[in-house]
Amino acid sequence: MDGFTWKLFVLSCLIAERSCQDFGQTQFICTSVPKDMDLCSAAMQNSGPADDLKTTVMQLRETVLQQKETIMNQKETIRELTSKLTRCESQSLPESGPGGRRPGVKNTMGDVSRGPTDTLAQLGHTLQTLKQRLENLEQYSRGNNTIQANSLKDLLQNKIDDMEKQVLSRVNTMEETKPAPRNDTDQRNKVESTLTSMHHRITDLEKGKENRPMDKFQLTFPLRTNYMYAKAKMSLPEMYSFTVCLWIKSNASPGVGTPFSYAVPNQANEVVLMEVGDNPMEFLINNKVAKLPFLINDGKWHHLCIIWTTRDGMWEAFQDGVMRGAGENLAPYHPIKPEGVLVLGQEQDTFGGGFDATQAFVGDVANLNFWDRKLSIGEIYNLATCNSRAQTGNVFSWTEANIEIFGGATKWTFEPCRSVN
């Protein structure tokens, strides 16, 4: 490049700096262009990539700002949840657990990493707290028969039910993972005792405040366990024929389990209704089996009746007032023995016990009644349709005075046909 060309090059840079668009605090890079091309036009053409770069930078900056705003919102949400969690801890759990730190309350069940003994002790404390609140509610409701008292009772009932499910689920999980030492078994028995006590208190409240008829209730078994059940306070008599009817609701799969079982000494399967695994529902008499054509695990209420007579072992099965099946040779000429134990929600492998969680009932049961005779089709239809002429069992009737519950089975108000589906 000779001297003249060099001077022209420098001059063009100076002119471009003065005459083209002002970019503020920037640096200018001069580029060689042909003599006959307009300098400003050349500068604008060369600025294309810079504009693209500037646009890209602005987009990235906007993205970063949006992400920052999102992070700030998430932090605020976490802060609110932490505050709520802390309040929940202070209300339902002790100030600190083993090791000097507060137990976790994410699911109100304590820290997962705790040992079984610590966890059960923590659950026992929480349930004792709920029991104390229930006692306070009792005193309040006796002196204040108001809507507010009803509201408090309902809220507490919901809290107790939620705690029960979590308690029993945790205890059941620990039982499945490893054998429970004796001290853990004692802790579990205390928890079950507390649950049973709370439900007795709630039942007393319902009797005193609502004057609920003694037969207008249902039992709910929310989980498969080997310790949640109800038991009749009386035995069945010797029978040469009988009819058993009940309302039932379940969506458990596979198999709803065992709605009821009646065991006598030396025969655990004297009378049993059960559905286990993918097998159809079965009715057992003296450990002999008849397969029933019932389909009930749709989460809806169904009315079931089964008739049996010792003569030829004949049986009939009714669902929702309609006969669905019949047969014979089911333990023919075998009388139903007295002095037995009638259990709801569990199948008895031994007299009054030997429960197996895989055979436990999951769902709701109501209005279980036994008659020592064969009901007519009309009588069964009246029961299924809640006709005013429907009868109650003459050897076992569904009343609260005849049943006691254990292990956390819950009791709710139920009116046939009005509560159905």
Side-chain angles (χ1 to χ4, degrees):
M1 182 182 295
D2 57 21
F4 176 78
T5 304
W6 172 254
K7 292 179 180 179
L8 180 60
F9 177 76
V10 173
L11 180 61
S12 65
C13 289
L14 293 174
I15 294 173
E17 182 178 359
R18 296 296 184 183
S19 60
C20 296
Q21 184 177 350
D22 183 14
F23 290 93
Q25 297 294 326
T26 59
Q27 292 181 341
F28 289 88
I29 301 175
C30 293
T31 305
S32 176
V33 298
K35 293 182 181 180
D36 56 350
M37 177 175 287
D38 181 72
L39 296 178
C40 289
S41 299
M44 293 301 294
Q45 289 179 2
N46 291 332
S47 67
D51 287 342
D52 293 341
L53 181 60
K54 182 178 180 181
T55 301
T56 302
V57 170
M58 293 299 295
Q59 291 175 348
L60 289 174
R61 182 174 180 273
E62 183 177 354
T63 301
V64 170
L65 290 175
Q66 291 175 349
Q67 291 178 346
K68 182 179 179 181
E69 182 178 359
T70 301
I71 292 172
M72 294 300 295
N73 291 337
Q74 291 175 345
K75 286 183 177 180
E76 182 64 26
T77 301
I78 292 172
R79 192 178 299 110
E80 292 177 359
L81 292 175
T82 302
S83 176
K84 292 179 180 179
L85 200 58
T86 302
R87 289 197 299 271
C88 181
E89 272 188 315
S90 62
Q91 291 174 0
S92 61
L93 296 175
E95 285 302 313
S96 63
R101 62 184 181 89
R102 188 183 293 273
V105 291
K106 182 176 181 181
N107 62 353
T108 71
M109 293 298 298
D111 196 333
V112 175
S113 63
R114 293 185 180 280
T117 303
D118 291 339
T119 301
L120 286 173
Q122 185 62 63
L123 295 176
H125 176 86
T126 302
L127 289 176
Q128 288 292 343
T129 300
L130 289 174
K131 183 179 178 181
Q132 182 62 46
R133 291 173 62 188
L134 183 56
E135 291 173 349
N136 294 338
L137 175 60
E138 280 184 292
Q139 297 176 1
Y140 181 83
S141 62
R142 288 168 184 163
N144 300 274
N145 189 19
T146 63
I147 296 177
Q148 185 177 6
N150 284 327
S151 178
L152 286 172
K153 187 192 73 175
D154 292 339
L155 288 173
L156 183 55
Q157 175 69 70
N158 292 336
K159 177 67 174 176
I160 291 172
D161 291 336
D162 181 60
M163 286 297 301
E164 278 180 359
K165 292 179 181 179
Q166 296 183 47
V167 167
L168 296 173
S169 177
R170 173 57 63 87
V171 174
N172 194 40
T173 299
M174 289 189 295
E175 285 188 338
E176 292 175 354
T177 54
K178 66 175 184 178
R182 179 174 180 81
N183 59 339
D184 291 347
T185 301
D186 293 341
Q187 289 283 354
R188 194 195 75 184
N189 291 337
K190 290 180 181 179
V191 170
E192 292 179 14
S193 176
T194 302
L195 292 175
T196 302
S197 175
M198 285 192 295
H199 282 294
H200 288 167
R201 295 292 185 88
I202 291 174
T203 299
D204 292 340
L205 281 176
E206 290 175 340
K207 289 178 182 177
K209 291 175 83 271
E210 300 175 4
N211 296 319
R212 184 184 68 197
M214 295 290 287
D215 62 337
K216 305 295 186 183
F217 72 98
Q218 70 185 58
L219 296 181
T220 298
F221 304 89
L223 299 170
R224 290 194 195 277
T225 72
N226 61 355
Y227 45 81
M228 184 186 297
Y229 66 101
K231 184 172 69 173
K233 295 181 179 180
M234 63 178 65
S235 174
L236 298 178
E238 184 177 56
M239 296 184 293
Y240 293 87
S241 65
F242 71 86
T243 302
V244 57
C245 297
L246 71 156
W247 284 95
I248 187 170
K249 181 174 75 169
S250 178
N251 59 2
S253 179
V256 301
T258 307
F260 71 85
S261 63
Y262 176 70
V264 296
N266 301 319
Q267 181 51 269
N269 295 326
E270 185 71 357
V271 182
V272 181
L273 179 65
M274 65 187 304
E275 182 186 77
V276 179
D278 296 323
N279 299 317
M281 183 163 281
E282 298 177 339
F283 190 57
L284 284 71
I285 300 288
N286 192 33
N287 208 34
K288 306 301 186 295
V289 181
K291 297 186 182 300
L292 305 182
F294 291 154
L295 296 175
I296 63 170
N297 63 337
D298 55 3
K300 298 180 180 180
W301 281 103
H302 294 283
H303 186 263
L304 306 182
C305 279
I306 305 169
I307 298 173
W308 176 85
T309 178
T310 186
R311 183 175 181 178
D312 296 326
M314 299 184 65
W315 60 270
E316 297 173 337
F318 295 77
Q319 179 173 329
D320 300 324
V322 178
M323 182 185 292
R324 299 297 176 90
E328 57 184 12
N329 292 322
L330 177 60
Y333 305 104
H334 169 80
I336 302 302
K337 298 177 181 178
E339 306 301 326
V341 176
L342 177 61
V343 170
L344 289 82
Q346 297 285 350
E347 195 272 335
Q348 304 173 64
D349 287 335
T350 60
F351 180 62
F355 303 149
D356 183 348
T358 63
Q359 299 174 329
F361 175 72
V362 178
D364 306 302
V365 172
N367 287 47
L368 176 68
N369 287 276
F370 277 84
W371 295 260
D372 59 357
R373 63 181 180 86
K374 177 180 178 179
L375 294 187
S376 68
I377 294 178
E379 288 175 316
I380 290 175
Y381 183 79
N382 287 340
L383 288 167
T385 57
C386 306
N387 189 290
S388 59
R389 290 173 292 182
Q391 304 177 26
T392 59
N394 67 330
V395 294
F396 178 80
S397 60
W398 184 258
T399 65
E400 293 190 51
N402 289 341
I403 296 173
E404 52 186 343
I405 60 176
F406 301 91
T410 57
K411 188 182 296 183
W412 300 91
T413 299
F414 173 80
E415 291 192 42
C417 297
R418 291 186 181 181
S419 300
V420 171
N421 306 327

